[in-house]
Amino acid sequence: MAAQNLSDDSDESLMLSYAQGKAAAFDALYARHRVGVYRYVLRHCGNAPVADEVFQDVWTNLVRTRATYAPTSRFSAWLYTLAHNRLVDHWRATGQVDMVSIDGDDAANDAVGALPAARADEPDERAANRNIAAHLHAALAKVPPLQRDAFLLQQESGLSLLEIATLTGVGVETVKSRLRYAVAKLRSELGALRELAHR
Amino acid sequence: MNDDRDLHDTALDALLRTHSAETPPPAVDAAVLAAAHRAIDGEMRARPARATQPWRWWMPLAAAAAIGVVVIGILPMAPTLVEPTPPATSDAPTTATAPPPAGTQPIEAARPDTQGTPMARVPVPSTTDRMSAKRDAAPTRERAESATKAGSTPSRPYYQMYRYVPPEPPAAEQDRRANATGAVAAMPQAAPAPQAIRPQQEAAARAPATQVPQEANAQPPRQGSAAALTQPARSPEVLPRTDAMSLEDRQKVAAAQPRTVDEWFALIRKLRSENRVPDAIRALADFRAAFSDADARLPEDLRDWAKTVP
């Protein structure tokens, strides 16, 4: 009965309950967001052990800062902000931060136009199914971190453009530019896979 | 429209959803959940730990409140310090030659207040005073003996400690009293109203009945209202005080004392016939104090005897 009530509660009320000492509320929150956060972290890191560590740090930070949580915005925005900040720390620690960002639409269009054409190799369906995850990770790894971050936030967290902009500390147009560039890059990298997905 | 196509790629979204099977390892799940529960448990454990801390901010306030309660509750029960007063008057026969102790002033039964009403000014002891007096009353003799041995003034009952000491009368009055009273004047006066209130009483007798003073109304007159007003007002508080007399005894004595001239005469005759000369002398003194023309009112049989009494 209590679990049923918790599953009906919103993320924000669950987080407030947990901050007030209700441990079961955290279980419900974790069950809702563990997969999205993990994929967001894993696709950024590309390395499962590192992703596990970062993922655990994200939730540890949430536990530690539970008393400061205020439901001024969606809980998922706050949660992915914690994840984003932890990833930034990770990038700084590993020297992976590429501060070059293509923010202007024209520049983004130029960059997309300069991408190479889709590869002509067409793996058979079985091989594609077997290696598709590896291709996805490889394609995402080729996207610059900031564009990839915007793309993954859109894919995994379900945040709006404005929320992503707030989370990353840039304007909405910048977020759009990053998304446009990331989608174009992935299209070019995953051209064949996209065809498989269409079938 | 173009923006949406550029920002979203449905094929790409489907590809990611279809082939995304990554989930956190069970060990990581367990570690995260354990950390979350551990934090809550630690917080719950810290709360009762804080509650059992030996020092609290309210402890000084509680101590102050306890001290206040004790002081408020105990202080009224403590004996009140009273200035030693001279021995009280007594109905017991005293030697005529014994002078009053130094500084002793006879108790004035009543004195006119601002409204001309004879009022008994002897304060009635409060409950606290009675309590302390009750404590003092039992071992009075022992205390007196020990105090006498120590050369100090023995303690007295409360009704002696709270005697009203009127202000000094005018010099003319003192001279008149010194001349009028000899050995009798040395005796403690009982209770009748002083001469000083006579004019006010007479004025009150001339006044309408509605202006009768409250204390006169408090004790209904036994005779006519005008005659009653000429009588000195009496109350239990102004009665003669002795060491052994209680308030009820003094009330009885007050009821037995004469209020009219004839009653005074009857009392004096009775005392003389019973050979209670000192009492008769005191009654004559009281009669003189109550009536300014007392000697003129005396009958023949008492007038001769009264001439022998200064």
Side-chain angles (χ1 to χ4, degrees), chain A residues 18 21 26-27 30 34 38-39 42-43 52 55 59 66 132 137 151 154-155 176 180 187 193-194 198, chain B residues 3 5-9 11 13 15-16 19-20 22-23 25 28-29 32-33 36-37 39-40 43:
Chain A
Y18 175 64
F26 181 85
D27 297 348
Y30 185 74
R34 57 187 279 273
Y38 185 75
R39 289 177 184 170
L42 179 64
R43 287 170 182 170
D52 291 350
F55 174 78
W59 288 101
R66 65 186 179 281
I132 194 165
H137 281 293
F151 176 78
Q154 186 190 42
Q155 289 288 322
K176 287 181 180 178
R180 196 173 294 118
R187 277 176 185 161
L193 292 178
R194 289 176 63 242
H198 267 301
Chain B
D3 277 350
R5 186 175 56 81
D6 291 339
L7 300 178
H8 292 278
D9 189 324
D13 293 345
L15 184 66
L16 286 170
H19 299 279
S20 295
E22 305 93 343
T23 57
V28 174
D29 287 343
V32 169
L33 292 174
H37 286 251
I40 295 298
E43 186 176 276

Side-chain angles (χ1 to χ4, degrees), chain B residues 44-59:
Chain B
M44 293 300 175
R45 262 185 260 111
R47 284 177 184 169
R50 282 197 297 270
T52 57
Q53 286 176 355
W55 186 251
R56 291 270 168 236
W57 64 268
W58 48 263
M59 284 184 178

